Amino acid sequence: MNRIKIGIVGYGDRGQHLMEKLRRSSHYVVTAVCDIDIRKLKNIPSEITEYSLPDKVFADEDVDVVFIAANNSAHKELAVRAAEAGKDIICATPAALSLDDLNEMLAAVDECGVNFTVYHRHRLDKGFQIMQNVRDSDKLGQIYLIKSSMNMAVGYLQDWHRFASEGGGVLMDLGVTMLDQMMCLMPGAKVTGVYADLRSVVNKEVDDYCRIILQFEGGISAEIELGTLLLSDKEDKWFEHHWYAAGTKGCVYVDGNEEIEGKLVLASEWLTDRKRTVSDHSSVRERMYTEELPEAGESEYFFENYWKAYDGQEEFQVTTAEILRVQKIVEAVRMSAATNTVVKPN
């Protein structure tokens, strides 16, 4: 199969990240890049066509797939126009700002007969992939609690992320990707309740702190916490993801982004012996033991999968059902935070 020709719309941090990823792959070639701020295009390689208007990318016959990496608020309009031009679409997260916007995008995609998926880049995170492997191993037994937190010592948000009109705020940034990760850890499990706290701590126009509690059928609880002032004074730990899960056989903690620290902390028979009396005593070391974390999976699989799915060899890794599921949770998060109540997702 020939390489897929990609046109990137939006060349801020997201677009530049994508350029690096795609140019390292033998399956893709970036043929066009667009940004309304032409100053961002000054270092584009000479073989790539530069545009300042998205419609030029959509009309370019040398573009097979449009990668939307623009501000969140522009995703719906760009996706609809790209679909109408007959282009397949990959969209950065979040897919849309609302469920109504997403449904409009999906209707256009369906009507025009093009492919649509979302690049959930944090499905590639080592810590998340380790958590998936722990879940699949049954090392923890029946899991009843999963926690995901991100400390971000960034304070005031930068660029368009600090403006509500552009779809800024942490919920619609890393918050959406953390929700997607949690949904992936609980495939098929129904969310029965959502409680959320959204706050504007230093960024007065958008949320810069969110805490989300998800209740799944079967009694499993999940917690997500994200904020720009969740600080750590450890060297190189100012931006770090932390995972924790507990089950009937033990717990796991996974800390870090690229350099991972963590252990499986498993219960001994002493802790799970129902016949033990209150007079029985044991040291901490006798009550539990540790094991090393499993390895992470393939970090670049999204791009490998898309290339195969584009050729009909596989299904797209990020499905429409998954995109809709996360968007419905986002709607419930907003409603819960606004009403200070537990909300049942639609």
Side-chain angles (χ1 to χ4, degrees), residues 33-238:
V33 173
C34 171
D35 200 286
I36 58 175
D37 184 354
I38 60 174
R39 293 173 297 179
K40 295 180 180 179
L41 306 178
K42 61 181 180 181
N43 294 320
I44 297 296
S46 58
E47 68 271 17
I48 298 175
T49 304
E50 303 172 12
Y51 295 114
S52 61
L53 296 175
D55 287 330
K56 295 289 187 180
V57 179
F58 304 154
D60 191 332
E61 294 183 357
D62 204 31
V63 171
D64 300 319
V65 177
V66 172
F67 214 131
I68 298 174
N71 299 7
N72 294 345
S73 59
H75 288 189
K76 183 192 77 169
E77 180 182 353
L78 291 173
V80 170
R81 283 156 55 188
E84 291 172 346
K87 302 296 187 185
D88 291 327
I89 303 160
I90 305 174
C91 190
T93 56
L97 294 184
S98 70
L99 184 58
D100 287 344
D101 282 358
L102 179 57
N103 284 331
E104 187 175 335
M105 293 161 66
L106 294 176
V109 164
D110 185 60
E111 181 179 348
C112 298
V114 299
N115 293 314
F116 176 85
T117 191
V118 171
Y119 175 41
H120 273 292
R121 60 183 285 191
H122 290 284
R123 289 194 187 186
L124 312 178
D125 291 355
K126 288 183 179 180
F128 168 64
Q129 293 183 353
I130 288 171
M131 290 295 293
Q132 286 184 306
N133 291 338
V134 170
R135 176 205 61 192
D136 294 341
S137 72
D138 196 40
K139 285 283 187 178
L140 303 187
Q142 184 176 348
I143 295 174
Y144 59 88
L145 174 66
I146 307 175
K147 294 183 178 182
S148 171
S149 64
M150 181 79 77
N151 57 273
M152 301 168 58
V154 298
Y156 285 101
L157 293 166
Q158 300 300 309
D159 200 22
W160 59 265
H161 295 280
R162 67 185 188 271
F163 298 118
S165 61
E166 299 297 329
V170 295
L171 173 62
M172 299 309 290
D173 187 12
L174 286 171
V176 169
T177 67
M178 293 170 76
L179 281 169
D180 175 73
Q181 288 176 333
M182 199 64 77
M183 295 300 104
C184 288
L185 289 174
M186 299 293 296
K190 184 178 180 180
V191 178
T192 59
V194 177
Y195 181 78
D197 180 12
L198 295 178
R199 302 191 183 200
S200 301
V201 180
V202 294
N203 296 268
K204 298 307 179 183
E205 189 172 327
V206 296
D207 55 274
D208 53 20
Y209 171 84
C210 70
R211 181 169 180 262
I212 303 166
I213 299 175
L214 306 172
Q215 194 70 29
F216 291 89
E217 60 184 357
I220 301 174
S221 293
E223 298 182 16
I224 293 171
E225 188 173 44
L226 169 66
T228 65
L229 280 177
L230 299 180
L231 310 180
S232 171
D233 64 350
K234 296 180 181 179
E235 189 69 22
D236 298 325
K237 303 294 184 182
W238 63 272

